[in-house]
Amino acid sequence: MMQLTEQQQHILNGGEGETLKKVLQTLIRYGEVFGATKMVPVTSQYNHLVTSFGLKALGPVYELMEQLIEAGAVSGQQFTADPRPVDKNVPSNFLLDFIFNNFMYTRQEFYEGQLNKLGLMEKDAFSCTCYMDEVGNKPQKGDILSWSESSAVVYANSVLGARCNRNSGIIDLMGSVLGYVPYFGLLTDEGRKATWIIDIQTTKKPEAQLLGSAIGMKVMEDVPFIRGLDKWLGTELDDAACTFLKDMGAATASNGAVGLYHVENLTPEAKEQGESLIAEGAKVYVIDDAELQRVYDSYPIMWKNKEAKPKLCFMGCPHMSLEQLKSWTDKVEAGLKEAGNSKVVVPTVFTAAPAVLKEFEKTPYAKRLRKTGVITSYICPLMYMNNPLAGKMPVITSSNKLRTYTTARYYTDDEILIEITKGGK
Ligand code: F3S
């Protein structure tokens, strides 16, 4: 049974109104399913919401949001939200647009109005990489969060040392409105112990998205302690290491259901606690070159015509970092030069947080990238691919999350570069 504080009991008795009472009841039920015995305060400065799209079919969500707004049960925290679904800069056509505008994101404006009333951050609030310095929603170590975007949850837990369960949409908002979340799983010291040891024995730096996929598919929702990765990433969380961990983590979270990983000598808890983070009886998974190849070869190709020429390439799921945008500008330029091409041969979209794109625009790289024909955007590629017509297109990506949830075909970063600069030759 859940032990409530006096103040929480007061809410449960209806002392703060019917709406807040219902919110608390919902969170108690949710917590009890996972064996939570108490509710603990959310301590982060900001919150993050997964539901960012005004999909026509989400009627009940809008009703619930309206009830919260009318009852004045708005979040004490400002929040960011996942990326917006559409951007006119992204290649499209009449039919695709027709479906986006008439059957899919028809309530976008209305929904964003609701988000504003509930406490959306004023500027540049839409990105799954809300934790980037440029965006500003970066939790502190030890902060308790009420997030649910899986790629952001795993990053916040693992790289930032915050504490958050893999919640679902609306639960994230409820926790923030109430200011409490049920205490279980990844909020507890016990739940943060690793029950898997991942032993990296590759002969070169592994591909982040492939490594994350292998780990996720093996450990599912368990916590892995990764050994041997510091050899490739170093022992400091610099931009390059954080970018790698962002992509690896998103793949562990989508190809499995990982909410936290530790990297020996690198991530905060692993640095502090070392092997004492490993639970007794932890299983071992060795990853070498052959294992990564096996995982790569196991991906089904969902295209109708497997020999089709790619029509579109998406990079940036999760959204790219500034460091990634810059290094990819260099890579695309070099690839084009080698191939004797002046522009990319596959329409290519790099997605990043609006605030990151603004910073990128201030650098000389932005003009150089534009010259290669690559388009930048703030959308979520998954929401684009959810358009049934987009699902029929041969789209390529180096995102293992996008591959998992859509018909997009996975290529490694190097293969993507060859595809977009040389046409796969
Ligand atoms: Fe982000 Fe959308 Fe991918 S929310 S992680 S770009 S599916």
Side-chain angles (χ1 to χ4, degrees):
M1 271 302 285
M2 192 80 83
Q3 298 289 319
L4 298 182
T5 63
E6 227 170 82
Q7 205 248 346
Q8 290 161 355
Q9 193 59 54
H10 173 70
I11 297 173
L12 193 63
N13 294 341
E16 302 283 328
E18 272 308 295
T19 307
L20 221 50
K21 176 181 165 179
K22 276 192 211 153
V23 170
L24 178 56
Q25 280 174 333
T26 308
L27 288 175
I28 288 176
R29 249 179 265 140
Y30 166 54
E32 281 177 348
V33 170
F34 294 97
T37 50
K38 61 178 177 178
M39 305 284 293
V40 290
V42 174
T43 61
S44 58
Q45 186 181 1
Y46 301 108
N47 191 34
H48 181 80
L49 300 187
V50 72
T51 314
S52 59
F53 43 90
L55 202 62
K56 197 176 186 177
L58 289 184
V61 172
Y62 309 130
E63 273 171 39
L64 193 100
M65 304 272 279
E66 213 49 41
Q67 276 180 33
L68 291 173
I69 294 165
E70 274 170 22
V74 297
S75 173
Q77 296 176 299
Q78 282 194 314
F79 52 82
T80 47
D82 265 5
R84 285 183 162 131
V86 232
D87 174 5
K88 59 175 176 13
N89 288 332
V90 175
S92 189
N93 60 40
F94 175 77
L95 276 177
L96 273 166
D97 284 341
F98 185 76
I99 293 180
F100 280 132
N101 298 331
N102 293 286
F103 296 99
M104 293 182 72
Y105 306 115
T106 56
R107 308 291 304 275
Q108 190 63 25
E109 222 175 292
F110 170 78
Y111 182 63
E112 285 189 22
Q114 287 191 320
L115 288 177
N116 283 331
K117 286 184 200 154
L118 280 164
L120 188 72
M121 261 162 82
E122 255 168 50
K123 273 200 316 197
D124 300 332
F126 294 97
S127 172
C128 46
T129 58
C130 61
Y131 45 77
M132 299 249 169
D133 287 334
E134 297 84 355
V135 187
N137 181 358
K138 187 175 195 168
Q140 304 283 316
K141 183 162 179 292
D143 268 349
I144 305 279
L145 319 180
S146 180
W147 293 9
S148 57
E149 163 53 48
S150 66
S151 68
V153 167
V154 73
Y155 189 91
N157 274 319
S158 314
V159 182
L160 303 178
R163 296 192 171 212
C164 186
N165 278 315
R166 281 175 53 103
N167 303 300
S168 55
I170 304 300
I171 289 285
D172 51 12
L173 176 61
M174 287 190 177
S176 180
V177 162
L178 185 71
Y180 296 106
V181 282
Y183 185 70
F184 69 92
L186 297 176
L187 301 194
T188 68
D189 288 344
E190 207 42 46
R192 295 176 79 84
K193 288 254 160 92
T195 50
W196 279 92
I197 297 168
I198 311 295
D199 206 349
I200 310 282
Q201 296 183 4
T202 54
T203 57
K204 54 183 194 311
K205 184 176 174 182
E207 187 85 4
Q209 297 267 1
L210 204 49
L211 177 61
S213 166
I215 296 172
M217 287 199 268
K218 178 62 85 178
V219 313
M220 295 314 290
E221 75 279 9
D222 289 347
V223 177
F225 184 92
I226 306 170
R227 277 184 180 151
L229 196 52
D230 51 333
K231 176 176 171 194
W232 305 108
L233 301 187
T235 53
E236 293 306 320
L237 286 169
D238 55 14
D239 283 353
C242 288
T243 294
F244 185 100
L245 296 178
K246 159 183 80 77
D247 288 339
M248 183 194 81
T252 65
S254 55
N255 287 218
V258 174
L260 164 69
Y261 56 81
H262 303 293
V263 180
E264 192 173 45
N265 298 326
L266 183 59
T267 53
E269 278 152 270
K271 267 193 157 180
E272 274 172 24
Q273 300 172 49
E275 297 202 343
S276 63
L277 277 170
I278 302 171
E280 216 173 294
K283 288 170 271 203
V284 179
Y285 175 37
V286 176
I287 297 184
D288 54 14
D289 299 341
E291 177 61 0
L292 287 182
Q293 189 62 43
R294 185 195 65 77
V295 169
Y296 180 98
D297 292 339
S298 73
Y299 298 150
I301 300 164
M302 309 293 283
W303 294 357
K304 208 167 172 195
N305 171 10
K306 296 188 178 22
E307 307 307 319
K309 277 213 152 317
K311 268 205 164 146
L312 189 60
C313 169
F314 273 123
M315 294 285 292
C317 168
H319 275 172
M320 290 169 91
S321 64
L322 188 57
E323 192 262 332
Q324 247 172 334
L325 286 168
K326 288 181 183 171
S327 61
W328 269 90
T329 303
D330 288 335
K331 284 203 250 183
V332 173
E333 276 181 345
L336 288 174
K337 199 169 162 206
E338 214 176 279
N341 288 327
S342 61
K343 290 212 181 291
V344 284
V345 294
V346 177
T348 299
V349 183
F350 286 1
T351 56
V356 170
L357 290 174
K358 270 188 195 159
E359 279 309 308
F360 182 62
E361 282 303 320
K362 291 181 195 159
T363 72
Y365 288 88
K367 203 168 151 205
R368 285 169 45 196
L369 186 65
R370 253 194 303 279
K371 234 175 132 199
T372 68
V374 169
I375 295 157
T376 55
S377 172
Y378 50 74
I379 64 159
C380 163
L382 177 59
M383 293 184 210
Y384 180 97
M385 292 299 293
N386 279 344
N387 186 317
L389 289 182
K392 291 194 177 124
M393 280 163 49
V395 174
I396 58 172
T397 183
S398 71
S399 162
N400 235 322
K401 181 168 182 180
L402 199 61
R403 173 196 70 81
T404 304
Y405 292 128
T406 73
T407 55
R409 178 172 180 173
Y410 174 81
Y411 281 120
T412 63
D413 281 351
D414 286 349
E415 289 169 331
I416 287 278
L417 191 63
I418 293 172
E419 287 290 329
I420 65 177
T421 58
K422 306 185 171 83
K425 282 169 267 167

